[in-house]
Amino acid sequence: MNSDGPSKKLNKREFLKSAGLVTATAAGATTLAAPYVKAQSPITWRLQTYAGPALAEHVIKPSIDAFNKAANGEMTIELFTADQLVPQGELFRAVQSGTIDAAQSDDDSMASPVDVAIFGAYFPFASRYSLDVPVLWNWYGLKEIWQEAYGEVQGVTWLSAGAWDPCNFVTTKPIRSVADLKGLRVFTFPTGGRFLTRFGVVPVTLPWEDIEVAIQTGELDGVAWCGATEAYTVGWADVNKYYLTNNINGAWAGSYFANTEKWNALPEHLKTLFNLAMDSSHYYRQHWYWWGEAHYRTTGGKLELTTIPEAEWKTVEDEALKFWDEIAATGERNKKVVDILKNYAETMRKAGAPYRYG
């Protein structure tokens, strides 16, 4: 992150020690929260994002910088990047315990212990475009379902969902047919990887900062983690050669989460300000990714574009619908989500262009 942001020199060991001191101090403190007045010490939160430093500069830092400025000394959010304080797979538990105050992530890779977590990140073919995600959450009922699901888990409050980029293959080997997927070792999300194993893909889990080296050494054949914008922004376009234009999802679905006690303790005006900051982040990503996907495909120059013929790719889409039905069978709430996705897809098809073509 830039030097003008909060200090990031705190290592994990020092952080965990200080977190323990804070917890011990809090345990002995009165349970009666005093009303906030400006003369009190500023509120300080630690927020960790799923994104590495280069990507965080776009997907969250502008909104956090704006929040800190607008909070006018009443509150400061210290931003930490992927795995900086805790590993990504432990992020939910860290927020739940209060070790970290908030997080920006998908439910899937942070191991949220809720049934709907499987729909986070890249649920196969759940969306075609980035606008599908806010529409599904705000106008088709997913927001209320997520509130219900996280309301059953103590310690973490789900706050807001938004869209990121599509999920394309960025690889060292060309993909021109479904058969070319077989045996590919790729860094991807848990649910996306689970689906892709049906086509012989080998999902690999590694710390985010290790991916580039793993591709260079041949441990990975690439990623199925992002679109062109991220591939170029984080440097993965420098170590891969090919970009498959077919994607398994049109937009990553991610959310903001907060420790429930810390969220409830905020005065209403700071909650409102944080909600505005989240909306600002969602909006920035809408236009940044939409610009970047076209820009880097056409002018990036580092990745050769390949495409699986539409008729052949339809076999992958058809398999995704079978996957949907399997997930729907796991519980009533998951069935409700799948029914919404099916209804939405049918509505988009009936609406025609520009919602769906063909």
Side-chain angles (χ1 to χ4, degrees):
M1 310 304 291
N2 287 346
S3 59
D4 58 349
S7 173
K8 303 299 182 296
K9 295 182 179 179
L10 187 69
N11 63 40
K12 290 182 182 179
R13 181 172 295 178
E14 291 171 341
F15 167 74
L16 292 173
K17 285 182 179 178
S18 65
L21 289 173
V22 170
T23 302
T25 303
T30 176
T31 58
L32 297 175
Y36 181 83
V37 293
K38 194 169 183 179
Q40 290 179 329
S41 299
I43 298 168
T44 301
W45 272 17
R46 288 167 170 153
L47 187 159
Q48 182 170 306
T49 175
Y50 79 99
L55 187 60
E57 288 287 335
H58 289 279
V59 301
I60 189 169
K61 189 174 184 293
S63 63
I64 296 302
D65 288 346
F67 176 92
N68 288 338
K69 184 176 182 179
N72 198 30
E74 295 182 23
M75 181 172 174
T76 299
I77 297 175
E78 297 178 349
L79 179 61
F80 296 86
T81 55
D83 303 310
Q84 194 170 4
L85 297 180
V86 297
Q88 174 66 17
E90 299 174 16
L91 193 52
F92 182 92
R93 298 300 184 187
V95 175
Q96 189 175 44
S97 67
T99 304
I100 291 174
D101 304 298
Q104 180 203 45
S105 177
D106 65 283
D107 323 59
D108 197 26
S109 66
M110 71 186 289
S112 290
V114 296
D115 46 9
V116 296
I118 197 167
F119 299 103
Y122 293 120
F123 190 68
F125 297 96
S127 64
R128 185 72 61 90
Y129 307 116
S130 58
L131 274 176
D132 291 339
V133 171
V135 171
L136 282 163
W137 259 262
N138 291 294
W139 297 100
Y140 276 73
L142 294 194
K143 175 181 177 180
E144 289 74 19
I145 292 174
W146 258 245
Q147 289 172 334
E148 176 187 86
Y150 282 95
E152 298 171 0
V153 180
Q154 287 189 330
V156 175
T157 297
W158 174 87
L159 297 174
S160 180
W164 274 251
D165 53 339
C167 183
N168 294 73
F169 281 86
V170 185
T171 56
T172 58
K173 303 175 182 179
I175 303 171
R176 296 187 173 91
S177 71
V178 173
D180 291 336
L181 298 175
K182 189 173 183 179
L184 283 180
R185 295 163 297 173
V186 298
F187 174 58
T188 189
F189 290 87
T191 299
R194 175 178 164 185
F195 171 69
L196 289 170
T197 59
R198 297 178 180 223
F199 305 96
V201 172
V202 181
V204 179
T205 301
L206 290 170
W208 193 92
E209 66 269 20
D210 294 342
I211 303 307
E212 186 170 339
V213 172
I215 295 170
Q216 290 174 310
T217 60
E219 182 180 356
L220 288 176
D221 297 312
V223 300
W225 175 271
C226 61
T229 311
E230 283 194 23
Y232 278 86
T233 299
V234 306
W236 291 341
D238 297 326
V239 294
N240 285 288
K241 296 180 180 179
Y242 302 95
Y243 181 92
L244 180 65
T245 60
N246 313 80
N247 61 58
I248 66 163
N249 195 305
W252 190 81
S255 295
Y256 284 81
F257 306 84
N259 175 272
T260 299
E261 184 179 352
K262 294 295 184 69
W263 177 253
N264 290 341
L266 287 185
E268 289 302 315
H269 70 287
L270 289 179
K271 287 182 179 178
T272 299
L273 184 60
F274 192 76
N275 282 323
L276 290 170
M278 289 188 292
D279 285 344
S280 172
S281 173
H282 295 329
Y283 175 65
Y284 182 101
R285 293 192 313 274
Q286 284 282 345
H287 60 75
W288 181 62
Y289 277 120
W290 191 253
W291 160 79
E293 294 309 301
H295 172 77
Y296 288 112
R297 282 193 190 195
T298 58
T299 66
K302 297 178 180 179
L303 298 171
E304 179 184 335
L305 304 183
T306 64
T307 300
I308 296 174
E310 186 175 342
E312 186 179 355
W313 187 247
K314 190 177 184 302
T315 63
V316 181
E317 295 185 9
D318 291 344
E319 190 65 29
L321 295 179
K322 298 177 186 177
F323 184 76
W324 286 18
D325 289 337
E326 292 171 14
I327 301 304
T330 62
E332 186 57 36
R333 191 154 50 207
N334 283 351
K335 182 180 184 304
K336 189 182 296 185
V337 175
V338 170
D339 287 345
I340 287 172
L341 294 177
K342 288 181 177 180
N343 177 40
Y344 181 75
E346 181 61 22
T347 300
M348 295 299 104
R349 282 193 292 269
K350 288 181 178 177
Y355 298 95
R356 296 291 186 268
Y357 292 86

